[in-house]
Amino acid sequence: MAGNTNMTRNFPIRIVIADDHPAVVIGARYELSATNTLSVVASAHNSTELMEALAAHPCDVLVSDYAMPGAEYGDGLAMFTTILKRHPNLRIVVMTMMENAVALRALMDLGIACIVSKSDMTNHLTMAIHAAYTNGRYLSPSMDRILRAAGSASGKAPALSARELEVIRLFASGLSVNEIADKLSRSKKTISTQKSSAMQKLGIERDVDLVRYAIACGLVSDYGYAAALPTGENDPN
């Protein structure tokens, strides 16, 4: 079972890497191989592979992307919540291009306090893993800047809730309101209300602009849906 129950055990720290882009996994493996205190024991490219890897390989720290759509356990907050329920002693480092402060704070509320931007130098990943292993906190420079800026702009930016943000992200990933309701085990009415509330707070009237917002914030990595969405129509579901 994944999760380190003995924080005094000898190195190396055992790591599982999850990202839907193979090049990112290869790059992370290469970066971590330069440190003799770290050992990558498995990798995964979606949440289904990730759950299988965590069940099969004892590990101390999970390094995972936030957005890995299209698998059994979803991604984002729902995926991390499931992982922490199954592996409560597992330490997690989120490595992401996401730049939305509300989503980053939601991760920290889950107990994930080590977050690294893919746009920062790769050595920050090594430092974040060591911090996570000791149950510490680590934000790479871009992540720290985003959260500090959001703090200084408190009350000026739209105050989206974590649930509204998750609905936006899933919608921008290509799911309908009905599909989001099924995935999150909520009613269609609740999801529709949260989507509408988020759009009102953001001053957005069209679905395509909501998708563009999600892309601009790094909430989704697949840009294809934005191009396919009609520019003058809302999702009929």
Side-chain angles (χ1 to χ4, degrees):
M1 178 179 177
N4 179 16
T5 58
N6 181 7
M7 299 306 289
T8 63
R9 89 171 173 79
N10 295 328
F11 288 114
I13 299 170
R14 302 163 298 181
I15 301 160
V16 169
I17 302 173
D19 196 290
D20 58 336
H21 296 90
V24 173
V25 174
I26 293 170
R29 276 185 175 272
Y30 180 79
E31 171 66 25
L32 301 181
S33 68
T35 306
N36 59 14
T37 57
L38 307 176
S39 175
V40 178
V41 298
S43 61
H45 298 98
N46 57 53
S47 62
T48 303
E49 292 181 8
L50 175 54
M51 292 300 185
E52 292 171 353
L54 291 175
H57 300 276
C59 72
D60 304 299
V61 178
L62 165 63
V63 174
S64 178
D65 195 1
Y66 185 95
M68 295 191 296
E72 182 179 357
Y73 299 95
D75 58 356
L77 295 177
M79 180 186 74
F80 289 120
T81 299
T82 299
I83 289 171
L84 289 170
K85 284 181 179 178
R86 294 190 179 191
H87 308 286
N89 295 313
L90 181 64
R91 309 304 186 199
I92 298 177
V93 175
V94 173
M95 183 172 60
T96 180
M97 286 298 294
M98 181 172 60
E99 297 182 349
N100 189 284
V102 175
L104 296 177
R105 287 198 185 105
L107 284 173
M108 300 184 82
D109 288 342
L110 282 180
I112 300 172
C114 296
I115 309 173
V116 175
S117 172
K118 292 180 182 179
S119 65
D120 287 327
M121 296 291 290
T122 54
N123 65 307
H124 289 287
L125 178 58
T126 300
M127 291 186 279
I129 290 170
H130 282 101
Y133 181 71
T134 57
N135 203 25
R137 181 179 185 270
Y138 189 90
L139 298 173
S140 70
S142 293
M143 298 292 98
D144 184 61
R145 194 159 48 244
I146 290 166
L147 287 168
R148 287 180 181 274
S152 64
S154 179
K156 298 178 183 178
L160 298 183
S161 70
R163 289 193 170 191
E164 289 170 342
L165 201 68
E166 190 72 351
V167 168
I168 290 173
R169 188 182 69 81
L170 292 172
F171 179 76
S173 297
L175 300 185
S176 69
V177 168
N178 286 337
E179 290 169 331
I180 297 170
D182 289 341
K183 179 178 284 290
L184 299 182
S185 299
R186 301 178 202 160
S187 70
K188 175 186 174 182
K189 181 178 179 181
T190 296
I191 298 301
S192 181
T193 297
Q194 289 171 338
K195 175 175 173 282
S196 298
S197 175
M199 293 178 73
Q200 184 176 10
K201 289 179 181 179
L202 294 168
I204 290 174
E205 296 182 356
R206 302 185 306 168
D207 284 349
V208 68
D209 293 326
L210 187 63
V211 174
R212 287 170 179 155
Y213 169 83
I215 291 171
C217 292
L219 295 174
V220 291
S221 57
D222 184 356
Y223 296 1
Y225 179 60
L229 192 67
T231 58
E233 299 180 10
N234 284 336
D235 178 16
N237 291 323

